[in-house]
Amino acid sequence: MSGSADNLVIMRSWPAPEIVALPHHGGPLSVHDTATGSLRTTAPGATARMYVCGITPYDAAHLGHAFTYLTFDLVNRVWRDAGHAVDYVQNITDVDDPLLERAADTGQDWRELAEREIQVFRDDMAALRILPPRAFVGVVESIDLIAEFVARLRETGAVYEVDGDLYFSAAEAPGFGSVSHLDRAAMLELFAERGGDPGRPGKKDPLDWLLWRAERPGEPAWDTPLGRGRPGWHVECSAISLRELGMGFDLNGGGDDLVFPHHEMGAAEARRATGTHPQAQNYLHVAMVGLHGEKMSKSRGNLVFVSALRQAGADPMAIRLALLAHHYRTAWEWTDGELRAAERRLERWRAAAALESAPDAAPLLARVRAALAADLDAPPRWPRSTPGSRRPWAGPEGTRPPRRSCATPSTPSSAWPSTADPRAGTGPPFRPARRGPRPARTTGSVTAGRYSAVRQVRCRYDDDAPWAGKGGP
Ligand code: 5CA
Ligand code: ZN
């Protein structure tokens, strides 16, 4: 495989679904902010600015990705419903070690592989009626921008060289820790698990991170004022978000596997480069979707693809509903029952919507708006316990409404082992920085903005419970 800069294609986003305008406006959105560890009311101006970390396109989008992007779709829609315009930016990590490795392993051109998977992603997002970003920005098309940004960081004195590669010095990182609030031991552990290279000889501090990787034989590289090479991972998102949205944008987000190191290091870069902070007003992180006891991840291969479900005939709106049955801050596991339950729910809803007469929708709209504004509480909770809000169950006679069932597993869900990742673990003391999908952490959860070995509660809507269709207990 030879490196070249000849594929500077400007990314296209995907087509926007129709948005139904509702009467009046919803209220301000509150979400859990990782950086402060608290529920915060977002306060955008006329235009809300949102950046969300995009895919590494070496495989199709799985349900974990879809859950993450659907969460930000809710943010987008709640803001719009509250009367804001939304300027939404998403990146694509379209040059990356896992992508290059997958291409080499399968004898494909890495650009063709990326292009094909990006198109599958676009089709999936459009099918799920996820609102597209205004700017869907690839790394390859942003090489000059990122090189300029790294050069700016170097001017500030925060960058040094190891064998031609450029590193950001953690000691020069202003406010380092202000996003994740992790202690050093936890940082080191996660850095090693998620693409960092703490053991590389020649670094001043194990936590120093790669900004620019000099050309290696057989790897793509671009000519820049920094020399021939390609960008490190974190810097792509800080550079792209800074150009597209500036500093202090309203929300920076992704899955909770990105809290550290990705968002911590990106925030430090933006702050060092501009001398201002914060990079974002809120940091929103989505809990991981698992399958068979592990985080769903491309490197593990335990995946359920959105495209495969669609090809098998699943209604994309049932997939959307299945995902929306979970709250974004609770890790959960996909089972086939999730889709079956959502299909039944969708059928009931469609039948209800097709009825010739219906009660006044205003009270329901108010309740939906209030629930979404309060930390995106999309999962329906039936029956409502609020006096006067209880509705008769509309399902088949003899059945009862689905119930949210939550169970605390006997071991922390964080026990999803990372050893299944063939890329993790043993090997020579120094491995080049591994980027892209990072294996799940092994010892904790950062969904609450703090690193702690919490027991995750897994919840699901129990349409498939033994009592379903039998009248219930
Ligand atoms: N390209 C980088 C971000 S700059 C990346 O993390 N790519 S990714 O393909 O691995 O993941 C894309 C997005 O999906 C990220 O926001 C990630 O946090 C999220 N994600 C990955 N796996 C899961 C999962 N199992 N459940 C929920 N979200 C996930
Ligand atoms: Zn990112």
Side-chain angles (χ1 to χ4, degrees):
M1 181 171 30
S2 66
S4 87
D6 61 3
N7 63 332
L8 293 174
V9 175
I10 305 295
M11 287 292 167
R12 274 178 301 110
S13 199
W14 56 89
E18 188 191 340
I19 304 183
V20 179
L22 297 167
H24 312 297
H25 283 305
L29 169 67
S30 297
V31 286
H32 183 86
D33 169 41
T34 305
T36 56
S38 63
L39 192 67
R40 293 185 69 205
T41 303
T42 61
T47 299
R49 294 172 294 160
M50 173 163 77
Y51 185 90
V52 176
C53 283
I55 54 160
T56 306
Y58 70 90
D59 218 336
H62 58 63
L63 288 167
H65 298 134
F67 185 55
T68 284
Y69 298 116
L70 196 48
T71 298
F72 295 100
D73 190 56
L74 285 185
V75 171
N76 196 337
R77 287 170 185 266
V78 172
W79 271 339
R80 285 167 190 266
D81 186 54
H84 304 282
V86 179
D87 191 6
Y88 176 22
V89 178
Q90 189 180 128
N91 72 306
I92 310 138
T93 309
D94 59 353
V95 58
D96 194 8
D97 293 346
L99 174 70
L100 302 175
E101 286 164 16
R102 175 65 61 88
D105 290 350
T106 52
Q108 302 176 73
D109 181 285
W110 62 273
R111 287 158 295 202
E112 284 170 19
L113 172 62
E115 220 169 278
R116 197 174 58 243
E117 297 306 348
I118 292 167
Q119 189 52 46
V120 175
F121 179 73
R122 286 190 191 101
D123 294 344
D124 287 343
M125 294 295 105
L128 294 174
R129 301 180 65 82
I130 289 177
L131 299 175
R134 186 261 306 162
F136 187 45
V137 186
V139 173
V140 171
E141 68 185 274
S142 309
I143 298 287
D144 290 345
L145 167 82
I146 299 168
E148 262 172 48
F149 185 75
V150 172
R152 166 78 199 121
L153 287 172
R154 190 160 60 175
E155 282 166 19
T156 72
V159 177
Y160 65 94
E161 196 176 316
V162 179
D163 302 331
D165 296 340
L166 298 181
Y167 277 82
F168 192 110
S169 174
E172 301 290 336
F176 194 60
S178 60
V179 175
S180 66
H181 301 282
L182 300 177
D183 61 27
R184 188 174 166 84
M187 284 184 179
L188 282 167
E189 184 187 332
L190 286 180
F191 190 51
E193 282 178 19
R194 297 176 177 169
D197 56 359
R200 180 169 184 179
K203 282 172 50 171
K204 294 181 187 167
D205 181 325
L207 282 175
D208 295 346
W209 66 92
L210 184 76
L211 292 171
W212 188 259
R213 180 172 160 89
E215 182 174 22
R216 306 286 200 277
E219 288 189 6
W222 288 263
D223 282 318
T224 73
L226 304 171
R228 271 182 77 74
R230 61 181 164 103
W233 173 32
H234 316 302
V235 73
E236 74 188 55
C237 287
S238 45
I240 292 170
S241 64
L242 185 61
R243 181 187 63 189
E244 297 293 337
L245 298 173
M247 287 295 278
F249 54 92
D250 295 285
L251 194 144
N252 193 12
D256 72 11
D257 56 340
L258 300 186
V259 175
F260 192 90
H262 187 54
H263 285 163
E264 188 75 69
M265 293 179 172
E269 288 161 356
R271 187 166 170 172
R272 180 81 190 195
T274 61
T276 65
H277 73 283
Q279 176 199 36
Q281 305 293 343
N282 288 272
Y283 289 83
L284 192 160
H285 292 105
V286 179
M288 293 289 106
V289 180
L291 182 73
H292 304 145
E294 287 188 311
K295 169 193 167 184
M296 203 178 276
S297 91
K298 289 182 275 196
S299 53
R300 291 200 179 87
N302 60 335
L303 305 172
V304 179
F305 294 119
V306 177
S307 49
L309 288 179
R310 292 200 292 119
Q311 270 163 24
D315 184 332
M317 289 306 95
I319 302 173
R320 185 174 169 110
L321 206 49
L323 297 171
L324 287 178
H326 295 271
H327 190 260
Y328 79 91
R329 289 184 62 205
T330 305
W332 57 284
E333 281 194 42
W334 176 263
T335 63
D336 291 344
E338 300 278 340
L339 187 59
R340 287 198 301 272
E343 281 166 350
R344 287 197 291 274
R345 196 174 307 130
L346 184 63
E347 206 177 304
R348 288 197 301 273
W349 287 9
R350 282 181 172 154
L355 292 174
E356 278 177 14
S357 67
D360 179 14
L364 175 64
L365 176 59
R367 262 176 29 212
V368 169
R369 277 180 167 151
L372 288 175
D375 205 20
L376 303 174
D377 195 7
R381 294 203 185 118
W382 298 319
R384 288 271 167 182
S385 55
T386 322
S389 67
R390 191 176 284 253
R391 290 173 299 166
W393 168 232
E397 206 179 325
T399 66
R400 52 169 284 174
R403 190 175 61 174
R404 194 171 189 181
S405 99
C406 302
T408 307
S410 53
T411 52
S413 76
S414 49
W416 291 341
S418 65
T419 45
D421 183 353
R423 302 153 59 87
T426 57
F430 167 67
R431 284 178 292 138
R434 173 168 48 75
R435 307 193 293 114
R438 271 94 12 228
R441 48 176 308 133
T442 53
T443 53
S445 166
V446 287
T447 52
R450 297 285 185 281
Y451 185 93
S452 61
V454 295
R455 285 177 184 238
Q456 300 267 2
V457 177
R458 295 181 184 157
C459 303
R460 67 194 177 102
Y461 288 93
D462 219 344
D463 292 35
D464 300 319
W467 43 256
K470 294 178 197 150

